[in-house]
Amino acid sequence: MSEVEEALNRIRTHKGVTGIVIVNAEGLPIRSTFEATQKTKQYSALISQLAAKARSLVRDLDPTNDLTFLRIRSKKHEIMVAPDREYILIVIQDPNADQNI
């Protein structure tokens, strides 16, 4: 098993993780744990645009700085984004998974 597969499996086992998407620099999905391709395409397109805007904002504030991680939390989901030069790792989880509802 490759390092990438091992890392994805390790992330997938965390409590509350509902999906993982890896996106290339053009915003196209490379790998996804979602069964629905529409959901994969939606997360890929929207989050890659958001990451680009966030990176631009960070660099506008300080040209020597760069975006390393972005966390978005809503009532239903928490989206963690780890951008890199060639890829973007997107992890979607349920923030209420550890609560007994």
Coordinates of all heavy atoms in Angstrom, one line a residue:
M1 N 0.8 -1.2 0.0 CA 0.0 0.0 0.0 C 0.9 1.3 0.0 O 1.9 1.3 0.7 CB -0.9 0.0 1.3 CG -1.9 1.1 1.3 SD -3.0 1.1 2.7 CE -3.9 -0.3 2.4
S2 N 0.5 2.2 -0.8 CA 1.4 3.4 -0.9 C 1.2 4.3 0.3 O 0.3 4.2 1.1 CB 1.0 4.2 -2.2 OG -0.3 4.8 -2.0
E3 N 2.1 5.3 0.4 CA 2.0 6.3 1.5 C 0.7 7.0 1.5 O 0.1 7.3 2.5 CB 3.2 7.2 1.4 CG 4.5 6.7 1.9 CD 5.6 7.7 1.9 OE1 5.3 8.8 2.5 OE2 6.6 7.4 1.4
V4 N 0.3 7.4 0.3 CA -0.9 8.2 0.1 C -2.1 7.3 0.6 O -3.0 7.9 1.3 CB -1.2 8.6 -1.4 CG1 -2.5 9.2 -1.6 CG2 0.0 9.5 -1.8
E5 N -2.2 6.1 0.2 CA -3.3 5.2 0.6 C -3.3 5.1 2.1 O -4.4 5.1 2.8 CB -3.2 3.9 0.0 CG -3.6 3.9 -1.5 CD -5.0 4.3 -1.8 OE1 -5.9 4.0 -1.0 OE2 -5.2 5.0 -2.8
E6 N -2.1 4.9 2.7 CA -2.0 4.7 4.2 C -2.5 6.0 4.9 O -3.2 5.9 5.9 CB -0.6 4.4 4.6 CG -0.1 3.0 4.2 CD 1.3 2.8 4.6 OE1 1.9 3.5 5.4 OE2 1.9 1.9 4.0
A7 N -2.1 7.2 4.4 CA -2.5 8.4 5.0 C -4.0 8.6 4.8 O -4.7 9.0 5.8 CB -1.8 9.6 4.3
L8 N -4.6 8.3 3.7 CA -6.0 8.4 3.5 C -6.8 7.5 4.4 O -7.8 7.9 5.1 CB -6.4 8.1 2.1 CG -6.1 9.2 1.0 CD1 -6.4 8.7 -0.4 CD2 -6.7 10.5 1.3
N9 N -6.3 6.3 4.6 CA -7.0 5.3 5.5 C -6.9 5.8 6.9 O -7.8 5.7 7.7 CB -6.4 3.9 5.4 CG -6.8 3.3 4.1 OD1 -7.9 3.6 3.5 ND2 -6.0 2.4 3.6
R10 N -5.8 6.4 7.3 CA -5.6 6.9 8.7 C -6.5 8.1 8.9 O -7.2 8.2 10.0 CB -4.1 7.3 8.9 CG -3.7 7.5 10.3 CD -2.2 7.7 10.5 NE -1.6 8.7 9.6 CZ -0.7 8.4 8.6 NH1 -0.4 7.2 8.4 NH2 -0.2 9.4 7.9
I11 N -6.7 9.0 8.0 CA -7.6 10.1 8.1 C -9.0 9.6 8.1 O -9.8 10.1 8.9 CB -7.4 11.1 6.9 CG1 -6.0 11.8 7.0 CG2 -8.5 12.2 6.9 CD1 -5.6 12.6 5.8
R12 N -9.3 8.7 7.3 CA -10.7 8.2 7.2 C -11.2 7.5 8.5 O -12.4 7.6 8.8 CB -10.8 7.1 6.1 CG -12.1 6.7 5.7 CD -12.1 5.7 4.6 NE -11.6 6.2 3.3 CZ -10.9 5.5 2.4 NH1 -10.7 4.3 2.6 NH2 -10.4 6.1 1.4
T13 N -10.3 7.0 9.3 CA -10.7 6.4 10.5 C -10.9 7.3 11.7 O -11.4 6.9 12.7 CB -9.6 5.3 11.0 OG1 -8.4 6.0 11.2 CG2 -9.4 4.2 10.0
H14 N -10.6 8.6 11.5 CA -10.9 9.6 12.6 C -12.4 9.7 12.7 O -13.1 9.7 11.8 CB -10.2 10.9 12.2 CG -8.8 11.0 12.5 ND1 -8.2 11.4 13.6 CD2 -7.7 10.7 11.6 CE1 -6.9 11.3 13.6 NE2 -6.6 10.9 12.4
K15 N -12.8 10.0 14.0 CA -14.2 10.1 14.3 C -14.8 11.3 13.6 O -14.3 12.4 13.6 CB -14.3 10.3 15.8 CG -15.7 10.1 16.3 CD -15.7 10.0 17.8 CE -17.0 9.4 18.3 NZ -17.0 9.2 19.7
G16 N -15.9 11.0 12.9 CA -16.7 12.1 12.2 C -16.3 12.4 10.8 O -17.0 13.1 10.1
V17 N -15.2 11.8 10.3 CA -14.8 12.1 8.9 C -15.9 11.5 8.0 O -16.1 10.3 8.0 CB -13.4 11.5 8.6 CG1 -13.1 11.6 7.1 CG2 -12.4 12.3 9.4
T18 N -16.4 12.3 7.1 CA -17.5 11.8 6.1 C -16.9 11.8 4.7 O -17.5 11.1 3.9 CB -18.7 12.7 6.2 OG1 -18.3 14.1 5.9 CG2 -19.4 12.7 7.5
G19 N -15.8 12.4 4.5 CA -15.3 12.4 3.1 C -13.9 13.0 3.0 O -13.6 13.9 3.8
I20 N -13.2 12.6 2.0 CA -11.8 13.1 1.7 C -11.8 13.3 0.2 O -12.2 12.4 -0.6 CB -10.7 12.2 2.1 CG1 -10.8 11.9 3.6 CG2 -9.3 12.7 1.8 CD1 -9.9 10.7 4.1
V21 N -11.2 14.5 -0.2 CA -11.1 14.7 -1.6 C -9.7 15.3 -1.8 O -9.2 16.2 -1.1 CB -12.1 15.8 -2.2 CG1 -11.9 16.0 -3.7 CG2 -13.5 15.3 -1.9
I22 N -8.9 14.8 -2.8 CA -7.7 15.3 -3.2 C -7.8 16.0 -4.6 O -8.4 15.3 -5.5 CB -6.6 14.3 -3.3 CG1 -6.4 13.7 -1.9 CG2 -5.2 14.9 -3.8 CD1 -5.4 12.5 -1.8
V23 N -7.4 17.2 -4.7 CA -7.7 18.1 -5.9 C -6.3 18.5 -6.4 O -5.4 18.8 -5.7 CB -8.5 19.3 -5.5 CG1 -8.8 20.2 -6.7 CG2 -9.8 18.9 -4.8
N24 N -6.2 18.5 -7.8 CA -4.9 19.0 -8.3 C -5.0 20.5 -8.4 O -5.9 21.2 -8.0 CB -4.7 18.4 -9.7 CG -5.6 18.8 -10.8 OD1 -6.4 19.7 -10.6 ND2 -5.6 18.1 -11.9
A25 N -3.9 21.1 -9.0 CA -3.7 22.6 -9.0 C -4.8 23.2 -9.9 O -5.1 24.4 -9.7 CB -2.4 22.9 -9.6
E26 N -5.4 22.5 -10.8 CA -6.4 23.1 -11.7 C -7.8 22.9 -11.0 O -8.8 23.3 -11.7 CB -6.5 22.4 -13.0 CG -5.3 22.7 -13.9 CD -4.0 21.9 -13.5 OE1 -4.1 20.7 -13.2 OE2 -2.9 22.5 -13.5
G27 N -7.9 22.4 -9.9 CA -9.2 22.2 -9.2 C -10.0 20.9 -9.6 O -11.2 20.8 -9.3
L28 N -9.3 20.0 -10.3 CA -9.9 18.8 -10.7 C -9.7 17.7 -9.6 O -8.5 17.5 -9.2 CB -9.4 18.3 -12.0 CG -9.6 19.3 -13.2 CD1 -8.9 18.8 -14.4 CD2 -11.1 19.5 -13.5
P29 N -10.7 16.9 -9.3 CA -10.5 15.9 -8.3 C -9.7 14.7 -8.8 O -9.8 14.3 -9.9 CB -12.0 15.4 -8.0 CG -12.8 15.8 -9.2 CD -12.1 17.0 -9.8
I30 N -8.7 14.3 -8.0 CA -7.8 13.2 -8.3 C -8.3 11.9 -7.6 O -8.3 10.9 -8.2 CB -6.4 13.5 -7.9 CG1 -5.9 14.7 -8.7 CG2 -5.5 12.3 -8.1 CD1 -4.5 15.2 -8.2
R31 N -8.7 12.1 -6.4 CA -9.1 11.0 -5.6 C -10.2 11.4 -4.6 O -10.1 12.5 -4.1 CB -7.9 10.4 -4.8 CG -8.1 9.0 -4.3 CD -6.9 8.4 -3.8 NE -6.2 7.8 -4.8 CZ -4.9 7.3 -4.7 NH1 -4.3 7.5 -3.6 NH2 -4.4 6.7 -5.7
S32 N -11.1 10.6 -4.3 CA -12.2 10.9 -3.4 C -12.8 9.7 -2.8 O -12.8 8.6 -3.3 CB -13.3 11.6 -4.2 OG -14.4 11.9 -3.4
T33 N -13.3 9.9 -1.5 CA -13.9 8.8 -0.8 C -15.4 8.9 -1.0 O -16.1 8.0 -0.5 CB -13.5 8.8 0.7 OG1 -13.9 10.0 1.3 CG2 -12.0 8.6 0.8
F34 N -15.9 9.9 -1.6 CA -17.4 10.1 -1.8 C -17.8 9.1 -2.9 O -17.1 9.0 -3.9 CB -17.7 11.5 -2.2 CG -17.7 12.5 -1.1 CD1 -16.8 13.5 -1.1 CD2 -18.5 12.4 0.0 CE1 -16.7 14.4 -0.1 CE2 -18.4 13.3 1.1 CZ -17.5 14.3 1.0
E35 N -19.0 8.5 -2.7 CA -19.5 7.7 -3.8 C -20.2 8.5 -4.9 O -20.2 8.2 -6.0 CB -20.5 6.7 -3.2 CG -19.8 5.6 -2.4 CD -20.8 4.6 -1.8 OE1 -21.9 4.5 -2.4 OE2 -20.4 3.9 -0.9
A36 N -20.8 9.6 -4.5 CA -21.5 10.5 -5.4 C -20.4 11.4 -6.1 O -19.8 12.2 -5.5 CB -22.5 11.4 -4.7
T37 N -20.3 11.3 -7.4 CA -19.3 12.1 -8.1 C -19.7 13.6 -8.1 O -18.9 14.4 -8.2 CB -19.2 11.6 -9.6 OG1 -20.5 11.6 -10.2 CG2 -18.6 10.2 -9.6
Q38 N -21.0 13.9 -8.1 CA -21.5 15.3 -8.1 C -21.0 16.0 -6.8 O -20.5 17.1 -6.9 CB -23.0 15.3 -8.1 CG -23.5 16.8 -8.2 CD -23.0 17.5 -9.5 OE1 -22.8 16.9 -10.5 NE2 -22.8 18.8 -9.4
K39 N -21.0 15.3 -5.7 CA -20.5 15.9 -4.4 C -19.0 16.1 -4.5 O -18.5 17.1 -4.1 CB -20.8 14.9 -3.2 CG -20.6 15.6 -1.9 CD -21.1 14.6 -0.8 CE -22.4 15.0 -0.3 NZ -22.8 14.4 0.9
T40 N -18.3 15.2 -5.1 CA -16.8 15.3 -5.3 C -16.5 16.5 -6.1 O -15.7 17.3 -5.8 CB -16.2 14.0 -5.9 OG1 -16.4 12.9 -5.0 CG2 -14.8 14.2 -6.2
K41 N -17.2 16.7 -7.3 CA -17.0 17.8 -8.2 C -17.3 19.1 -7.5 O -16.6 20.1 -7.7 CB -17.8 17.6 -9.4 CG -17.4 16.5 -10.3 CD -18.3 16.4 -11.5 CE -17.8 15.2 -12.4 NZ -18.8 15.0 -13.5
Q42 N -18.4 19.1 -6.7 CA -18.8 20.4 -6.0 C -17.8 20.8 -5.0 O -17.4 22.0 -5.0 CB -20.2 20.1 -5.4 CG -20.8 21.4 -4.8 CD -22.2 21.2 -4.2 OE1 -22.5 20.1 -3.8 NE2 -23.0 22.2 -4.2
Y43 N -17.4 19.9 -4.1 CA -16.3 20.2 -3.2 C -15.1 20.7 -3.9 O -14.4 21.6 -3.5 CB -16.1 19.1 -2.2 CG -17.0 19.0 -1.0 CD1 -17.9 18.0 -0.9 CD2 -17.0 20.0 0.0 CE1 -18.8 17.9 0.2 CE2 -17.8 19.9 1.1 CZ -18.7 18.9 1.1 OH -19.6 18.8 2.2
S44 N -14.7 19.9 -4.9 CA -13.4 20.2 -5.6 C -13.4 21.7 -6.2 O -12.5 22.4 -6.0 CB -13.2 19.3 -6.7 OG -13.1 18.0 -6.3
A45 N -14.5 22.0 -6.9 CA -14.5 23.3 -7.5 C -14.6 24.4 -6.5 O -13.9 25.4 -6.6 CB -15.7 23.3 -8.5
L46 N -15.5 24.3 -5.6 CA -15.7 25.4 -4.6 C -14.6 25.6 -3.7 O -14.2 26.7 -3.4 CB -17.1 25.2 -3.9 CG -18.3 25.2 -4.8 CD1 -19.5 24.8 -4.0 CD2 -18.5 26.6 -5.4
I47 N -14.1 24.5 -3.1 CA -13.0 24.7 -2.1 C -11.7 25.1 -2.8 O -11.0 25.9 -2.2 CB -12.8 23.3 -1.3 CG1 -14.1 23.0 -0.5 CG2 -11.6 23.4 -0.4 CD1 -14.5 24.0 0.5
S48 N -11.4 24.6 -4.0 CA -10.2 25.1 -4.6 C -10.2 26.6 -4.9 O -9.2 27.3 -4.8 CB -9.9 24.3 -5.9 OG -10.9 24.4 -6.9
Q49 N -11.4 27.1 -5.3 CA -11.6 28.5 -5.5 C -11.4 29.3 -4.2 O -10.7 30.3 -4.2 CB -12.9 28.8 -6.1 CG -13.1 28.4 -7.5 CD -14.6 28.6 -8.0 OE1 -15.3 29.5 -7.4 NE2 -15.0 27.9 -9.0
L50 N -12.0 28.8 -3.1 CA -11.9 29.4 -1.8 C -10.4 29.4 -1.3 O -9.9 30.4 -0.8 CB -12.8 28.7 -0.8 CG -12.7 29.3 0.6 CD1 -13.2 30.8 0.6 CD2 -13.6 28.5 1.5
A51 N -9.7 28.3 -1.5 CA -8.3 28.2 -1.1 C -7.5 29.2 -1.9 O -6.5 29.8 -1.3 CB -7.8 26.8 -1.3
A52 N -7.7 29.4 -3.2 CA -7.0 30.3 -4.0 C -7.2 31.8 -3.5 O -6.3 32.6 -3.4 CB -7.4 30.2 -5.4
K53 N -8.5 32.1 -3.2 CA -8.8 33.4 -2.6 C -8.1 33.6 -1.3 O -7.6 34.7 -1.0 CB -10.3 33.6 -2.5 CG -11.0 33.7 -3.8 CD -10.9 35.0 -4.4 CE -11.8 35.1 -5.6 NZ -11.6 36.3 -6.4
A54 N -8.2 32.6 -0.4 CA -7.6 32.7 0.9 C -6.0 32.9 0.8 O -5.4 33.7 1.5 CB -7.9 31.5 1.8
R55 N -5.4 32.1 -0.1 CA -4.0 32.3 -0.3 C -3.6 33.7 -0.8 O -2.7 34.3 -0.4 CB -3.5 31.2 -1.3 CG -2.0 31.4 -1.7 CD -1.5 30.3 -2.6 NE -1.1 29.2 -1.7 CZ -1.1 27.9 -2.0 NH1 -1.5 27.5 -3.2 NH2 -0.7 27.0 -1.1
S56 N -4.4 34.2 -1.7 CA -4.2 35.5 -2.2 C -4.4 36.6 -1.1 O -3.6 37.5 -1.0 CB -5.2 35.8 -3.3 OG -5.1 37.1 -3.8
L57 N -5.3 36.4 -0.3 CA -5.5 37.3 0.9 C -4.3 37.3 1.8 O -3.8 38.4 2.2 CB -6.8 36.9 1.6 CG -7.1 37.8 2.9 CD1 -8.5 38.2 2.9 CD2 -6.7 37.0 4.1
V58 N -3.8 36.1 2.1 CA -2.7 36.0 3.0 C -1.5 36.7 2.4 O -0.7 37.4 3.1 CB -2.4 34.5 3.4 CG1 -1.1 34.4 4.0 CG2 -3.5 34.0 4.2
R59 N -1.3 36.5 1.1 CA -0.1 37.1 0.4 C -0.3 38.6 0.3 O 0.7 39.3 0.3 CB 0.1 36.4 -0.9 CG 0.7 35.0 -0.8 CD 1.1 34.5 -2.1 NE 1.7 33.2 -1.9 CZ 1.9 32.3 -2.9 NH1 1.5 32.6 -4.1 NH2 2.4 31.1 -2.7
D60 N -1.5 39.1 0.1 CA -1.7 40.5 0.0 C -1.4 41.2 1.4 O -0.9 42.3 1.4 CB -3.2 40.8 -0.3 CG -3.5 40.6 -1.8 OD1 -2.5 40.4 -2.6 OD2 -4.7 40.6 -2.2
L61 N -1.7 40.5 2.5 CA -1.4 41.1 3.8 C 0.1 41.0 4.1 O 0.6 42.0 4.7 CB -2.2 40.3 4.9 CG -3.7 40.5 4.8 CD1 -4.3 39.5 5.8 CD2 -4.1 41.9 5.1
D62 N 0.8 40.0 3.6 CA 2.2 39.8 3.8 C 2.8 39.0 2.7 O 2.6 37.8 2.7 CB 2.5 39.2 5.2 CG 3.9 39.0 5.5 OD1 4.8 39.4 4.7 OD2 4.2 38.6 6.6
P63 N 3.4 39.6 1.8 CA 4.0 38.9 0.6 C 5.0 37.8 0.9 O 5.2 36.9 0.1 CB 4.7 40.0 -0.2 CG 4.0 41.2 0.2 CD 3.7 41.1 1.6
T64 N 5.5 37.8 2.1 CA 6.5 36.7 2.5 C 5.7 35.5 3.2 O 6.4 34.5 3.5 CB 7.5 37.2 3.5 OG1 6.9 37.7 4.7 CG2 8.3 38.4 2.9
N65 N 4.4 35.6 3.3 CA 3.7 34.6 4.0 C 2.9 33.7 3.0 O 2.8 34.1 1.8 CB 2.7 35.2 5.0 CG 2.3 34.3 6.1 OD1 2.6 33.2 6.2 ND2 1.5 34.9 7.0
D66 N 2.4 32.6 3.4 CA 1.6 31.7 2.5 C 0.6 31.0 3.4 O 0.8 30.7 4.6 CB 2.6 30.7 1.8 CG 1.9 30.1 0.6 OD1 0.8 30.5 0.2 OD2 2.5 29.1 0.1
L67 N -0.5 30.6 2.7 CA -1.5 29.8 3.4 C -1.1 28.4 3.6 O -0.6 27.7 2.7 CB -2.8 29.8 2.5 CG -4.0 29.1 3.0 CD1 -4.6 29.8 4.2 CD2 -5.1 29.0 1.9
T68 N -1.2 27.9 4.8 CA -0.8 26.5 5.1 C -2.0 25.6 5.5 O -2.0 24.4 5.3 CB 0.2 26.5 6.2 OG1 -0.4 27.1 7.4 CG2 1.5 27.1 5.8
F69 N -3.1 26.2 6.0 CA -4.2 25.4 6.4 C -5.4 26.3 6.6 O -5.3 27.5 6.9 CB -3.9 24.8 7.8 CG -4.9 23.7 8.2 CD1 -4.7 22.4 7.6 CD2 -5.9 23.9 9.0 CE1 -5.6 21.4 7.9 CE2 -6.8 22.9 9.4 CZ -6.7 21.6 8.8
L70 N -6.6 25.8 6.2 CA -7.8 26.6 6.3 C -8.9 25.7 6.9 O -9.1 24.5 6.5 CB -8.2 27.0 4.9 CG -9.5 27.8 4.7 CD1 -9.4 29.1 5.4 CD2 -9.8 28.0 3.2
R71 N -9.6 26.2 7.9 CA -10.7 25.4 8.5 C -12.0 26.2 8.5 O -12.0 27.3 8.8 CB -10.3 25.1 10.0 CG -11.4 24.4 10.7 CD -11.0 24.1 12.1 NE -10.6 22.7 12.1 CZ -9.9 22.1 13.1 NH1 -9.4 22.8 14.1 NH2 -9.5 20.9 13.1
I72 N -13.0 25.5 8.0 CA -14.3 26.2 7.8 C -15.3 25.3 8.6 O -15.4 24.1 8.4 CB -14.8 26.2 6.4 CG1 -13.7 26.9 5.5 CG2 -16.1 26.9 6.2 CD1 -13.5 26.2 4.2
R73 N -16.0 26.0 9.5 CA -17.0 25.2 10.4 C -18.4 25.8 10.2 O -18.6 27.0 10.4 CB -16.5 25.2 11.8 CG -17.4 24.3 12.7 CD -16.8 24.2 14.1 NE -17.6 23.3 14.9 CZ -17.2 22.5 15.7 NH1 -15.9 22.4 15.9 NH2 -18.0 21.8 16.4
S74 N -19.3 24.9 10.0 CA -20.7 25.3 10.0 C -21.5 24.4 11.0 O -20.9 23.6 11.7 CB -21.3 25.1 8.5 OG -21.4 23.8 8.2
K75 N -22.8 24.6 11.0 CA -23.6 23.8 11.9 C -23.5 22.3 11.6 O -23.5 21.4 12.5 CB -25.0 24.2 11.9 CG -25.2 25.6 12.6 CD -26.7 25.9 12.5 CE -26.9 27.3 13.1 NZ -28.3 27.8 13.0
K76 N -23.4 22.0 10.3 CA -23.5 20.6 9.9 C -22.1 20.0 9.5 O -22.0 18.7 9.6 CB -24.4 20.4 8.7 CG -25.8 20.7 9.0 CD -26.7 20.5 7.7 CE -28.1 20.8 8.0 NZ -29.0 20.6 6.8
H77 N -21.2 20.8 9.1 CA -19.9 20.2 8.6 C -18.7 21.1 9.1 O -18.9 22.3 9.4 CB -19.9 20.2 7.1 CG -20.9 19.4 6.5 ND1 -22.1 19.9 6.0 CD2 -21.0 18.0 6.3 CE1 -22.8 18.9 5.5 NE2 -22.2 17.7 5.7
E78 N -17.6 20.4 9.1 CA -16.3 21.1 9.3 C -15.5 20.7 8.1 O -15.3 19.5 7.9 CB -15.7 20.7 10.6 CG -14.4 21.4 10.9 CD -13.9 21.2 12.3 OE1 -14.1 20.1 12.8 OE2 -13.3 22.1 12.9
I79 N -14.9 21.7 7.4 CA -14.1 21.4 6.2 C -12.7 21.9 6.5 O -12.5 23.0 6.8 CB -14.7 22.1 5.0 CG1 -16.1 21.7 4.8 CG2 -13.8 21.7 3.7 CD1 -16.9 22.5 3.7
M80 N -11.8 20.9 6.4 CA -10.4 21.3 6.6 C -9.6 21.2 5.3 O -9.8 20.2 4.6 CB -9.8 20.3 7.7 CG -10.4 20.6 9.1 SD -10.1 19.3 10.2 CE -11.2 18.1 9.6
V81 N -8.9 22.2 5.0 CA -8.2 22.3 3.7 C -6.7 22.5 3.9 O -6.3 23.4 4.6 CB -8.8 23.5 2.9 CG1 -8.2 23.6 1.5 CG2 -10.3 23.5 2.8
A82 N -6.0 21.6 3.3 CA -4.5 21.7 3.4 C -4.0 21.9 2.0 O -3.8 20.9 1.3 CB -3.9 20.5 4.1
P83 N -3.7 23.2 1.6 CA -3.2 23.4 0.2 C -1.7 23.2 0.1 O -1.0 23.4 1.1 CB -3.6 24.9 0.0 CG -3.6 25.5 1.4 CD -4.0 24.4 2.3
D84 N -1.3 22.7 -1.0 CA 0.1 22.5 -1.3 C 0.3 23.1 -2.7 O -0.6 23.6 -3.3 CB 0.4 21.0 -1.3 CG 1.9 20.7 -1.2 OD1 2.6 21.5 -0.5 OD2 2.4 19.8 -2.0
R85 N 1.5 23.1 -3.1 CA 1.8 23.7 -4.4 C 1.1 23.0 -5.6 O 0.6 23.6 -6.5 CB 3.3 23.6 -4.7 CG 3.8 24.5 -5.8 CD 5.3 24.6 -5.9 NE 5.8 25.3 -4.7 CZ 7.0 25.2 -4.2 NH1 7.9 24.4 -4.8 NH2 7.3 25.8 -3.1
E86 N 1.0 21.7 -5.5 CA 0.4 20.9 -6.6 C -0.9 20.3 -6.3 O -1.7 20.0 -7.2 CB 1.4 19.8 -7.0 CG 2.7 20.2 -7.6 CD 3.6 19.1 -7.9 OE1 3.1 18.0 -8.2 OE2 4.8 19.3 -7.8
Y87 N -1.2 20.1 -5.0 CA -2.5 19.5 -4.6 C -3.2 20.2 -3.5 O -2.5 21.0 -2.8 CB -2.2 18.0 -4.2 CG -1.5 17.2 -5.2 CD1 -0.1 17.0 -5.1 CD2 -2.1 16.7 -6.3 CE1 0.6 16.3 -6.0 CE2 -1.5 16.0 -7.2 CZ -0.1 15.7 -7.1 OH 0.6 15.0 -8.0
I88 N -4.4 19.9 -3.3 CA -5.2 20.4 -2.1 C -5.9 19.2 -1.5 O -6.6 18.4 -2.2 CB -6.3 21.4 -2.5 CG1 -5.6 22.7 -3.2 CG2 -7.1 21.9 -1.3 CD1 -6.6 23.6 -3.8
L89 N -5.6 19.0 -0.2 CA -6.3 18.0 0.5 C -7.5 18.6 1.2 O -7.4 19.5 2.0 CB -5.3 17.3 1.6 CG -6.0 16.3 2.5 CD1 -6.4 15.1 1.8 CD2 -5.0 16.0 3.6
I90 N -8.7 18.0 1.0 CA -9.9 18.5 1.6 C -10.5 17.3 2.5 O -10.7 16.2 1.9 CB -10.9 18.9 0.5 CG1 -10.4 19.9 -0.4 CG2 -12.2 19.4 1.2 CD1 -11.2 20.1 -1.7
V91 N -10.7 17.6 3.7 CA -11.3 16.6 4.6 C -12.6 17.2 5.2 O -12.6 18.3 5.7 CB -10.4 16.3 5.8 CG1 -11.1 15.3 6.7 CG2 -9.1 15.7 5.3
I92 N -13.7 16.5 5.0 CA -15.0 16.9 5.5 C -15.4 16.0 6.7 O -15.3 14.8 6.6 CB -16.1 16.8 4.4 CG1 -15.7 17.7 3.2 CG2 -17.5 17.2 4.9 CD1 -15.0 17.1 2.1
Q93 N -15.8 16.7 7.7 CA -16.2 15.9 8.9 C -17.5 16.5 9.6 O -17.8 17.6 9.4 CB -15.1 15.7 9.9 CG -14.7 16.9 10.7 CD -13.6 16.6 11.6 OE1 -12.9 15.6 11.5 NE2 -13.4 17.4 12.6
D94 N -18.1 15.6 10.3 CA -19.3 16.1 11.1 C -18.7 16.6 12.5 O -18.2 15.8 13.2 CB -20.2 14.9 11.3 CG -21.4 15.2 12.2 OD1 -21.5 16.4 12.6 OD2 -22.3 14.3 12.3
P95 N -18.9 17.9 12.8 CA -18.3 18.4 14.0 C -19.1 17.9 15.3 O -18.6 18.0 16.4 CB -18.5 19.9 13.9 CG -19.6 20.1 12.9 CD -19.5 18.9 12.0
N96 N -20.3 17.3 15.1 CA -21.1 16.8 16.2 C -20.9 15.3 16.4 O -21.7 14.7 17.1 CB -22.5 17.2 16.0 CG -22.7 18.7 15.8 OD1 -22.2 19.5 16.6 ND2 -23.4 19.1 14.8
A97 N -20.0 14.7 15.7 CA -19.9 13.2 15.8 C -19.5 12.7 17.2 O -19.9 11.6 17.5 CB -18.8 12.7 14.8
D98 N -18.8 13.5 17.9 CA -18.4 13.1 19.3 C -19.5 13.4 20.3 O -19.4 13.0 21.5 CB -17.1 13.7 19.7 CG -17.1 15.2 19.7 OD1 -18.1 15.8 19.1 OD2 -16.2 15.9 20.1
Q99 N -20.6 14.1 20.0 CA -21.6 14.4 20.9 C -22.7 13.3 20.8 O -23.0 12.8 19.8 CB -22.3 15.7 20.6 CG -21.3 16.9 20.7 CD -21.9 18.2 20.3 OE1 -23.1 18.3 19.9 NE2 -21.2 19.3 20.5
N100 N -23.3 13.0 22.0 CA -24.4 12.0 22.0 C -25.7 12.8 21.8 O -26.2 13.4 22.8 CB -24.4 11.3 23.3 CG -23.1 10.4 23.5 OD1 -22.6 9.9 22.5 ND2 -22.6 10.2 24.7
I101 N -26.2 12.7 20.6 CA -27.5 13.4 20.3 C -28.6 12.5 20.4 O -28.6 11.4 20.0 CB -27.4 14.1 18.9 CG1 -26.2 15.1 18.9 CG2 -28.7 14.7 18.6 CD1 -26.0 15.7 17.6

